[in-house]
Amino acid sequence: MIYTELQPLVLDILNKDERSLNERLYEVCNLLREEVAHYDWVGFYFRNGNKEELILGPYVGAPTDHTVIPFGRGICGQVAVSNENFVVPDVHAQDNYIACSITVKSEIVIPLFVNGENIGQIDIDSNTIDAFGEKDEQFLEFVNTEIANRWKG
């Protein structure tokens, strides 16, 4: 399924106001993992209050021990500091990579902004090297913008 076909499905999920935001985010994770062949782990990390750390939110894929990530550590921690997208074609070439699984080859992390503040991010791992491109970035920015539009936290 191509990203333009996924956009209305993401909106359908996010517009289910009778469900909690966490339930909707989990459903978005599940949709993306099921429909995008190179998305092997899909999850969200959110800033932990005023602390300079991220806590794991809804995700689908292999269990992870990385439920708390300090700012600056790993790809997710770097995005929390830089406020910029981070596409990693080969995780083994990164000095500051936190290994979640030996099968992960590439990663993409897109920050989630609410009212100009980086409150979290979507994190996707792939078991394929150099799996992510500009279309992934654009699509995931769309997903995060739509989540931000519904954020009440």
Side-chain angles (χ1 to χ4, degrees):
M1 187 171 287
I2 58 175
Y3 299 119
T4 53
E5 294 171 334
L6 281 174
Q7 286 180 342
L9 300 177
V10 168
L11 291 175
D12 287 345
I13 292 168
L14 293 176
N15 288 332
K16 293 180 181 177
D17 292 332
E18 71 280 1
R19 300 189 69 200
S20 74
L21 185 57
N22 268 355
E23 290 172 323
R24 290 180 274 167
L25 293 180
Y26 175 81
E27 199 172 332
V28 167
C29 290
N30 199 49
L31 173 73
L32 299 186
R33 185 167 176 250
E34 297 265 325
E35 297 298 333
V36 183
H38 59 280
Y39 287 13
D40 294 299
W41 190 97
V42 180
F44 290 92
Y45 283 93
F46 294 101
R47 183 178 185 133
N48 187 8
N50 291 325
K51 296 179 183 176
E52 291 203 345
E53 65 184 20
L54 299 165
I55 54 172
L56 181 61
Y59 75 94
V60 294
T64 180
D65 293 334
H66 305 290
T67 58
V68 178
I69 299 175
F71 279 22
R73 183 136 158 70
I75 307 306
C76 290
Q78 290 177 71
V79 169
V81 174
S82 73
N83 297 320
E84 295 179 2
N85 297 353
F86 200 153
V87 178
V88 183
D90 180 359
V91 297
H92 301 293
Q94 286 292 316
D95 292 338
N96 194 11
Y97 173 68
I98 301 172
C100 290
S101 167
I102 59 169
T103 61
V104 174
K105 305 274 191 291
S106 57
E107 182 174 13
I108 186 169
V109 179
I110 308 294
L112 172 56
F113 295 97
V114 174
N115 299 322
E117 180 185 354
N118 182 347
I119 58 119
Q121 54 205 228
I122 190 168
D123 176 21
I124 301 179
D125 293 340
S126 179
N127 297 339
T128 305
I129 198 145
D130 200 13
F132 305 106
E134 188 176 324
K135 290 193 183 308
D136 294 283
E137 279 191 82
Q138 292 169 350
F139 172 66
L140 296 170
E141 287 170 353
F142 161 82
V143 170
N144 278 358
T145 297
E146 293 303 324
I147 291 167
N149 290 340
R150 290 154 180 83
W151 190 264
K152 297 185 182 19

